Amino acid sequence: MEYTCLDYQSEMKLLGLKKRLKEEDLTEEERNQIVQEIEELEKAMKMN
């Protein structure tokens, strides 16, 4: 399996979203949006 720049970019985005999700000053709306983005990205990366 070939590892591409897009794979790397997706992984870094996922890590950033998970780190941001741990922040305490997020509104419920922001938290829900981040969770949704994480789920979509994991699905696209076939991680679920």
Side-chain angles (χ1 to χ4, degrees):
M1 183 172 154
E2 188 173 316
Y3 187 74
T4 66
C5 290
L6 184 57
D7 295 329
Y8 178 79
Q9 182 182 21
S10 297
E11 287 180 5
M12 293 301 107
K13 183 176 180 180
L14 182 60
L15 287 173
L17 289 170
K18 287 185 176 184
K19 183 178 178 181
R20 186 162 176 235
L21 190 59
K22 293 180 182 180
E23 295 177 3
E24 295 178 14
D25 62 340
L26 294 174
T27 65
E28 191 65 30
E29 183 178 332
E30 289 173 321
R31 187 171 302 281
N32 291 338
Q33 178 65 32
I34 292 171
V35 168
Q36 182 179 357
E37 285 183 55
I38 289 172
E39 289 172 355
E40 290 173 3
L41 192 53
E42 286 178 340
K43 184 177 179 181
M45 295 171 68
K46 299 177 181 162
M47 294 180 67
N48 54 358

